[in-house]
Amino acid sequence: MQGINLIGRRAFLVGGGAALLGGCTVAQAPAPQVAATSRVPPLYREMYGARPDERFAIPAVDLSKVDPRFWRREVADPTGERAGTVVVDTGSYFLYWTMEGGRAMRYGVGLGREGFGWNGTATIERKAQWPTWTPPAEMIAREPELEEYRNGMPPGLGNPLGARALYLYQNGRDTLYRLHGTQEAYSIGRAVSSGCVRLLNQDIIDLHMRVPTGSRVVVRPPSQSLLG
């Protein structure tokens, strides 16, 4: 299995079981100027509507903050991977769940900002609904205000992992990278987090239902983007 390759000045220490990244926090950045959609098709109004049935009621997504190309949709599979694989195309900010018959479900994602990017292969060994977020010790050292969460931040809309999380492992070790939810609609299609792959909460709930434990994850670097 290809190892996770971190791009930039920080390295992931697999052998020592430690990581300098993987905190999944959000960098402060202005919201992108996306033109408001005058008419959102009923399909997408329903897809990204409020989820009051959840443990913590999820509000509807303000789709004026998300470029329509990042709205969830079924597409022809461009990945070349076998069905049942998660493929993150970092160059285009898309995540694909490959399906039978040459089809794939495509989601828009937010990614790690420059210096926190990564690529490689991993396996989803754990899934969680409304997960607890525990910042790594290295992150707490950089951001002392996170000390109160050393033993974990309780689940909720303010939790950086959102409504669901899929945990990426390599050779039986937790990489500290996650596919997870977010309420920050503006971050989709942008590089703003500390390394993890973030989806709108409505999308991560959908992905969480589709992807079984043990699924293979392939993260493609920008130089190998499926869109050229």
Side-chain angles (χ1 to χ4, degrees):
M1 177 179 292
Q2 178 185 356
I4 286 179
N5 173 35
L6 296 180
I7 303 171
R9 57 193 170 84
R10 301 177 187 272
F12 181 76
L13 307 179
V14 175
L20 299 182
L21 303 177
C24 303
T25 59
V26 183
Q28 295 301 314
Q33 298 301 311
V34 177
T37 305
S38 58
R39 284 190 179 180
V40 175
L43 170 66
Y44 291 103
R45 287 202 300 270
E46 179 179 358
M47 183 180 295
Y48 291 110
R51 297 292 302 266
D53 56 318
E54 282 288 322
R55 177 180 173 187
F56 302 94
I58 299 173
V61 177
D62 181 354
L63 290 176
S64 72
K65 296 182 178 179
V66 185
D67 190 306
R69 74 178 184 273
F70 295 121
W71 300 352
R72 183 198 327 158
R73 66 195 67 193
E74 184 177 322
V75 298
D77 180 11
T79 70
E81 298 289 342
R82 66 179 182 272
T85 303
V86 174
V87 179
V88 181
D89 184 1
T90 62
S92 63
Y93 293 91
F94 287 136
L95 180 150
Y96 298 88
W97 168 244
T98 63
M99 302 185 296
E100 299 290 345
R103 306 295 292 174
M105 192 61 67
R106 190 182 76 187
Y107 309 81
V109 300
L111 299 168
R113 62 189 181 270
E114 185 176 0
F116 290 90
W118 58 276
N119 61 82
T121 60
T123 303
I124 294 172
E125 297 291 348
R126 179 185 166 206
K127 299 167 56 177
Q129 300 186 27
W130 293 105
T132 297
W133 175 66
T134 304
E138 294 83 359
M139 177 172 284
I140 295 174
R142 297 195 305 267
E143 304 175 53
E145 65 273 15
L146 297 178
E147 176 62 39
E148 64 178 302
Y149 303 122
R150 183 176 293 274
N151 295 319
M153 176 188 286
L157 289 179
N159 186 299
L161 295 182
R164 303 286 190 275
L166 305 176
Y167 295 75
L168 275 59
Y169 280 64
Q170 183 183 57
N171 299 323
R173 293 180 179 271
D174 185 355
T175 68
L176 300 185
Y177 287 94
R178 320 290 187 229
L179 311 179
H180 67 87
T182 183
Q183 282 295 113
E184 304 290 348
Y186 78 88
S187 69
I188 302 302
R190 307 185 73 206
V192 296
S193 73
S194 291
C196 297
V197 178
R198 53 177 46 221
L199 295 80
L200 294 168
N201 274 325
Q202 284 83 345
D203 282 345
I204 194 64
I205 290 171
D206 182 82
L207 183 67
H208 183 275
M209 290 190 298
R210 296 175 186 272
V211 177
T213 301
S215 296
R216 181 169 176 260
V217 179
V218 178
V219 181
R220 300 174 65 98
S223 62
Q224 298 176 16
S225 176
L226 295 167
L227 298 186

